[in-house]
Amino acid sequence: MVAQTGNVSVHASPHILAMDNKEAKIEIGNEIPVATGFSQSPSSAPAPTQTAATGVNPATQSSLASSLVSAGQIQYKTVGIILTVTPHITEQNMVRLKIAQEISARDVDVSLAGVTSPSFTKRKAETVGIVKDGHTLMIGGLMEEQTTTNRTGIPILMDIPLLGYLFGSTSKAVTKTEFLVMVTPHVISSSEDAEAILEEFQNKVHTIKTRLEKDKKDDKKDDKKDDKKDDKKDDKKDDKKDNKKDDKKDN
């Protein structure tokens, strides 16, 4: 049995400025090339060589039969975070939001009809809601858990009851996904409002930088501790070796 534990926490907080009744869109990700519309057709080769006995040179005929050309198109797919929002501000400072939030990532490659193309995972929420200025609207959520168990080892022997674990190993992977989408609109009606939102954003960036610097320092401390432990182990081994040598000399 092989055990492995990991913890990944990803918090994405895209910000975008939009005008009233105008669609705004922000994309944060990568462009992945994807092959589409592929087809195979015989290549345009020169006329076959004629012979007196058979009429067509067999070597030329074979090359014509096996020469194919693949043709198709390459399209680019945006993978990452895509946020599309269209706000409508009412007289009571209520905000009507038409929102489409998509989070996608590249998955394993798949082969179809001899062409290998990437596959993608996608989580998308699309809705229309009304929320007060400065308040948070939760538009969607997803909680998912996947368990995968693999058994590898020597054929037949690993299936023996009770003794099979001696001839094989078992790996178990548990993947948990929590996906939440929340939107907080801020109505900017004056330059003071814009400055306040800018200051809030700068404070968030400063907090993130401070946290990253702290994580780096903690990693360095852990590395130093590990190095000290290794040095102590090496010193103990050297001391034991020296003691054994001294004992042999005394004997």
Side-chain angles (χ1 to χ4, degrees), residues 67-241:
S67 179
L68 296 175
V69 175
S70 298
Q73 297 179 346
I74 300 296
Q75 295 182 352
Y76 285 86
K77 178 179 176 62
T78 302
V79 175
I81 300 173
I82 303 175
L83 172 63
T84 305
V85 57
T86 304
H88 173 68
I89 304 172
T90 65
E91 295 179 356
Q92 294 79 21
N93 260 5
M94 299 291 290
V95 183
R96 180 179 180 271
L97 295 171
K98 182 180 179 182
I99 306 169
Q101 171 78 67
E102 177 181 325
I103 298 178
S104 57
R106 180 171 179 169
D107 206 350
V108 297
D109 292 342
V110 295
S111 181
L112 183 63
V115 179
T116 302
S117 300
S119 62
F120 302 92
T121 59
K122 182 172 70 173
R123 296 175 177 89
K124 184 175 182 179
E126 188 172 355
T127 187
V128 177
I130 299 177
V131 64
K132 191 176 180 180
D133 174 28
H135 287 61
T136 300
L137 173 67
M138 183 172 178
I139 65 174
L142 170 67
M143 298 183 68
E144 180 183 6
E145 181 175 338
Q146 294 181 352
T147 302
T148 304
T149 303
N150 294 320
R151 176 74 176 164
T152 58
I154 301 175
I156 301 177
L157 295 180
M158 70 177 185
D159 298 326
I160 298 176
L162 299 179
L163 300 177
Y165 73 94
L166 297 174
F167 304 99
S169 61
T170 302
S171 62
K172 184 177 181 181
V174 179
T175 304
K176 293 183 179 181
T177 303
E178 296 181 2
F179 173 62
L180 300 175
V181 179
M182 294 177 288
V183 178
T184 304
H186 295 276
V187 178
I188 301 176
S189 56
S190 63
S191 59
E192 289 80 7
D193 294 339
E195 291 177 358
I197 292 176
L198 178 60
E199 183 179 358
E200 180 183 356
F201 182 75
Q202 290 175 341
N203 292 334
K204 288 182 179 179
V205 173
H206 178 71
T207 302
I208 293 173
K209 287 184 177 179
T210 303
R211 185 180 299 177
L212 291 175
E213 291 175 355
K214 183 180 178 181
D215 292 340
K216 287 182 179 179
K217 290 180 180 179
D218 294 338
D219 292 338
K220 289 182 179 179
K221 289 181 180 179
D222 294 337
D223 293 338
K224 289 183 179 179
K225 289 181 180 179
D226 293 337
D227 293 338
K228 288 182 179 179
K229 289 181 180 179
D230 294 336
D231 293 338
K232 288 182 179 179
K233 289 181 180 179
D234 294 335
D235 293 338
K236 288 182 179 179
K237 289 181 180 179
D238 294 336
D239 293 338
K240 287 182 179 179
K241 289 181 181 179

